[in-house]
Amino acid sequence: MNEEIKLHIKKLQRRAALSLIAILLTIISIGFGILFLFIPSFVAIIFFVITTGCIVYLIHSSRTAKNEAKENIYKPVVFNGDKNLTFGKIVSIFENLTSEENQLSASENVRFFRLKKIFKLRTVIYRTDSFNKKDFDNAKDRINKKANKELKISQWVNRMEAGNMMRFNIICTDVLNDALYQFLSQNANRNLTRVEGIINIAVVGNQIMIPPLYNECDLAEISRYKGVIKFINQVLLNNN
């Protein structure tokens, strides 16, 4: 992980932690403040001041995050490998991480893998000469439906288990066209908030790209994003 993305993630973590503390203090202060309203005491005033301060901070933090999103042009985060990563190489890496009963193919260009590595993962690897969002979605939906049926994957999981579950959609192509660039420039936040997190990953030559993470994030989303980066460094780039 380069220094720029490290500092960015640390800033997101700091903001998320302070916001969480402010929310908890607000809830506690309101509760005790109401209690002490019925007792002649300056304690109620103290809790009122704490609540006001926390609310002011939360509003300021939210505005700051939104302003940053408006002022900055966020681009895909890029990791550079020493050699080119082909569709076949990526498939080979995942084949070595899984057993045959956790692998499926829908065509020579679409593969599915289920494994446990950092996350409890279900991964679609998709090869294309020129990325098209509609074609990608159709291929992804077909292989996921096939996997659900043939591997008997339940759609119901408890929230504790879901917190460690991720879906990786890996797109392998030789050219980063405009459609793929725009697709990878979307904030990763939206998909990481899902019960089962999703991240889209593109492999183009020796580069691995993921969407940026910005705006207001909670600690769980940031943790998932860090886990994705860890997987890229430890598994994809380390096998390159």
Side-chain angles (χ1 to χ4, degrees):
M1 194 190 315
N2 62 45
E3 287 303 314
E4 186 178 352
I5 189 64
K6 276 184 180 179
L7 291 173
H8 178 66
I9 288 175
K10 283 182 179 179
K11 183 175 72 173
L12 293 177
Q13 283 180 309
R14 183 168 59 251
R15 180 184 292 158
L18 289 173
S19 294
L20 178 60
I21 292 169
I23 290 169
L24 292 175
L25 282 175
T26 299
I27 294 170
I28 294 169
S29 297
I30 289 174
F32 279 99
I34 292 172
L35 176 64
F36 280 97
L37 278 176
F38 301 99
I39 305 172
S41 172
F42 285 107
V43 176
I45 297 174
I46 294 172
F47 282 119
F48 174 76
V49 171
I50 292 173
T51 301
T52 302
C54 289
I55 291 172
V56 168
Y57 170 78
L58 290 170
I59 293 172
H60 171 73
S61 177
S62 178
R63 287 179 177 173
T64 300
K66 289 176 181 177
N67 287 336
E68 286 176 358
K70 290 178 182 178
E71 293 169 2
N72 292 287
I73 299 174
Y74 288 97
K75 300 178 290 185
V77 177
V78 180
F79 303 85
N80 293 301
D82 295 328
K83 301 176 183 177
N84 283 357
L85 274 166
T86 63
F87 174 79
K89 177 62 177 176
I90 297 291
V91 168
S92 177
I93 290 171
F94 277 86
E95 284 177 338
N96 291 332
L97 291 172
T98 56
S99 55
E100 286 190 16
E101 59 267 23
N102 287 306
Q103 305 176 18
L104 281 175
S105 64
S107 70
E108 62 179 8
N109 294 323
V110 187
R111 298 290 301 273
F112 176 94
F113 295 91
R114 182 174 59 174
L115 65 149
K116 191 168 184 180
K117 186 72 175 179
I118 299 176
F119 300 105
K120 187 175 181 181
L121 278 173
R122 52 185 294 166
T123 300
V124 173
I125 306 175
Y126 171 75
R127 179 173 61 185
T128 179
D129 293 326
S130 181
F131 178 79
N132 177 281
K133 177 68 162 51
K134 185 177 180 181
D135 292 343
F136 166 67
D137 286 340
N138 288 337
K140 176 167 56 72
D141 290 344
R142 283 196 300 272
I143 192 70
N144 275 315
K145 286 178 182 177
K146 183 177 181 180
N148 290 338
K149 182 179 180 181
E150 296 191 15
L151 301 182
K152 298 179 173 57
I153 299 174
S154 173
Q155 298 303 295
W156 300 98
V157 294
N158 63 61
R159 291 199 67 87
M160 290 294 292
E161 184 181 3
N164 195 42
M165 295 175 69
M166 283 286 292
R167 294 190 184 201
F168 284 4
N169 299 317
I170 302 178
I171 302 157
C172 298
T173 184
D174 294 328
V175 179
L176 179 67
N177 62 15
D178 288 341
L180 183 54
Y181 185 85
Q182 293 300 321
F183 182 59
L184 290 172
S185 297
Q186 297 174 21
N187 193 354
N189 177 288
R190 182 177 62 180
N191 284 331
L192 293 176
T193 59
R194 297 165 64 107
V195 174
E196 185 179 11
I198 299 174
I199 192 79
N200 298 303
I201 302 170
V203 178
V204 185
N206 71 323
Q207 294 186 325
I208 298 174
M209 305 177 187
I210 61 173
L213 181 67
Y214 57 93
N215 213 333
E216 293 182 273
C217 309
D218 65 34
L219 291 171
E221 293 153 15
I222 298 168
S223 177
R224 278 176 162 175
Y225 195 73
K226 288 177 66 178
V228 171
I229 293 173
K230 183 178 180 182
F231 185 93
I232 289 171
N233 284 317
Q234 290 188 359
V235 179
L236 299 183
L237 291 178
N238 206 32
N239 281 279
N240 190 9

